[in-house]
Amino acid sequence: MRKSAELRKAEIVVTVLDLADRIGPDRVTTGAAAAAVGVSQAAVFRHFPTKAAMWLAVADHMTEELTSAWQRALAGAGDPVGRLEALVAAQLGEIAAKPALPMLLFSRELNVGNDDLRAAFRRLLMTFQGLIVAEIARGQEARCLRRDVDPADAAVLAISLVQGMAIRWSLGARDFALVEEGLRLLRVQLRLLAAKGD
Amino acid sequence: MRKSAELRKAEIVVTVLDLADRIGPDRVTTGAAAAAVGVSQAAVFRHFPTKAAMWLAVADHMTEELTSAWQRALAGAGDPVGRLEALVAAQLGEIAAKPALPMLLFSRELNVGNDDLRAAFRRLLMTFQGLIVAEIARGQEARCLRRDVDPADAAVLAISLVQGMAIRWSLGARDFALVEEGLRLLRVQLRLLAAKGD
DNA sequence: AAAGTATGTGACCACTCACTCACTTAAGGT
DNA sequence: ACCTTAAGTGAGTGAGTGGTCACATACTTT
């Protein structure tokens, strides 16, 4: 079954992501990816000039997925605190659905010799941080959140929570409900951040 | 220069840690480690039966280093909150001194086919968490910290902060003072956790 | 000084990696 | 039906991997 280059490229990208989760990002060889797609190893290089380019395509794909998840989250809630919870829930949901994401942040593929890939991921995380900071600032203006904390600091606390939960989840046996447990702790944190007079 | 096996083993262990930081844990081949030590690749296998055993020795080394750093931290402060800050500062300091530590948590070496190594690191992190929980509970008993938060939850918030800072620091260009910035944010978090009537 | 032992070596093994290239074959327009 | 074109292939490449082996060299003990 021959497919168009566009279809095949997309197929390779999602297969690589799935494979990265199952066997680890650094174990995703061009041969393993090709076998999982059902094609010869040489065929991979017909669609991507190098392995690094293949990973870059994966990063593009994830950028789109995450961006749209964030937008859905922002659209689904009416108040800043609700949007904050929705953003975090969306992020945890994406991680739970594609556990390769946190693993990728520390993979050799990303950290050694693929500066473009590294930059792509950093851009992603900074975009997320920007969204969080904005909602926290809005929450403070609306007097829902205490104003004696720098929004940027509060955002780091919230984002660290997401990352810390992801690490606990990945390093353990993924033996708890990431989204639920993460949201529970976010609400603990939000209670600490709540304006005093409520 | 011939050295005793004990010395050579220790030399290999610290070299591997240093190399893991500079080129990434998964790039540490037996050959690279040998070259960095200044010895033939085969000599490595005179001291460690397998590469996995070499990493296990690295884990033992780090366990000792971290444990003693924690003990120094606990001994150096008088009150629970001070000990909390000291513990976090110690942990951040160790990470700053050996940046390979967080990378190791997600390396292929640890996550694939070396269950002993994985277990060793998990034990380490759980020990740290235990220390944090204990100090938070003590702080609550002493009425320094608000008591309407589960100590375990508060500990997760604090540990996530450490991990989140480490990620930010690693993923960026390590372009801020990890210990100072981490401590600053910990104090923000501790202010949120402080007992209301102070 | 001889004998024994621990540390180290260079050549080599079977295997995997990313990547190349001459070639075949199927799809799509005319 | 034919022909162009692009997707796909089999068989390689050199570089690197963890690990082994027979052998050499430096210390220690007798």
Side-chain angles (χ1 to χ4, degrees), chain B residues 176-188:
Chain B
F176 59 90
L178 178 61
V179 179
E180 284 73 14
E181 183 69 1
L183 264 186
R184 190 181 68 77
L185 279 156
L186 177 69
R187 294 207 179 93
V188 171

Side-chain angles (χ1 to χ4, degrees), chain A residues 111-154:
Chain A
N111 284 289
V112 184
N114 198 342
D115 291 341
D116 291 340
L117 187 61
R118 193 189 175 86
F121 274 94
R122 207 156 87 197
R123 230 177 296 124
L124 247 189
L125 290 192
M126 286 182 63
T127 303
F128 184 63
Q129 175 169 351
L131 295 178
I132 299 278
V133 171
E135 292 309 323
I136 288 177
R138 230 167 265 146
Q140 288 185 346
E141 282 163 26
R143 300 288 199 278
C144 299
L145 298 176
R146 50 191 290 177
R147 313 180 76 185
D148 58 347
V149 177
D150 186 336
D153 288 350

Side-chain angles (χ1 to χ4, degrees), chain A residues 160-195:
Chain A
S160 290
L161 180 58
V162 172
Q163 293 167 340
M165 293 303 297
I167 289 180
R168 288 170 64 79
W169 188 70
S170 284
L171 213 62
R174 300 179 183 175
D175 49 3
F176 59 88
L178 178 61
V179 179
E180 284 74 14
E181 182 71 0
L183 265 186
R184 189 181 69 78
L185 278 156
L186 176 70
R187 292 207 179 96
V188 171
Q189 179 79 68
L190 283 173
R191 187 152 57 83
L192 299 177
L193 280 168

Side-chain angles (χ1 to χ4, degrees), chain A:
Chain A
M1 255 174 289
R2 289 179 72 163
K3 297 189 179 177
S4 77
E6 197 180 4
L7 273 180
R8 194 60 99 186
K9 262 174 119 158
E11 192 184 2
I12 292 175
V13 163
V14 312
T15 303
V16 163
L17 251 178
D18 176 56
L19 216 54
D21 171 34
R22 291 198 339 253
I23 66 176
D26 295 320
R27 280 274 162 97
V28 178
T29 66
T30 56
V37 171
V39 103
S40 75
Q41 186 238 15
V44 171
F45 288 92
R46 181 143 321 261
H47 299 289
F48 302 101
T50 65
K51 197 194 182 192
M54 183 183 79
W55 275 109
L56 227 54
V58 171
D60 280 347
H61 176 74
M62 294 214 323
T63 300
E64 286 169 26
E65 290 245 326
L66 282 176
T67 302
S68 79
W70 295 337
Q71 276 165 358
R72 278 196 308 275
L74 286 174
D79 62 308
V81 173
R83 283 197 290 271
L84 250 168
E85 288 185 10
L87 274 175
V88 167
Q91 189 78 340
L92 290 172
E94 291 291 316
I95 290 173
K98 298 196 188 3
L101 212 158
M103 293 163 92
L104 260 166
L105 291 184
F106 287 92
S107 68
R108 180 191 58 151
E109 204 61 51
L110 186 142
N111 284 289
V112 184
N114 198 342
D115 291 341
D116 291 340
L117 187 61
R118 193 189 175 86
F121 274 94
R122 207 156 87 197
R123 230 177 296 124
L124 247 189
L125 290 192
M126 286 182 63
T127 303
F128 184 63
Q129 175 169 351
L131 295 178
I132 299 278
V133 171
E135 292 309 323
I136 288 177
R138 230 167 265 146
Q140 288 185 346
E141 282 163 26
R143 300 288 199 278
C144 299
L145 298 176
R146 50 191 290 177
R147 313 180 76 185
D148 58 347
V149 177
D150 186 336
D153 288 350
V156 170
L157 292 181
I159 292 172
S160 290
L161 180 58
V162 172
Q163 293 167 340
M165 293 303 297
I167 289 180
R168 288 170 64 79
W169 188 70
S170 284
L171 213 62
R174 300 179 183 175
D175 49 3
F176 59 88
L178 178 61
V179 179
E180 284 74 14
E181 182 71 0
L183 265 186
R184 189 181 69 78
L185 278 156
L186 176 70
R187 292 207 179 96
V188 171
Q189 179 79 68
L190 283 173
R191 187 152 57 83
L192 299 177
L193 280 168
K196 287 163 190 166
D198 65 337

Side-chain angles (χ1 to χ4, degrees), chain B residues 146-169:
Chain B
R146 50 193 289 178
R147 314 180 75 184
D148 59 345
V149 177
D150 186 336
D153 288 350
V156 170
L157 292 181
I159 291 172
S160 289
L161 180 57
V162 172
Q163 292 168 340
M165 293 303 296
I167 290 180
R168 289 169 63 80
W169 187 69

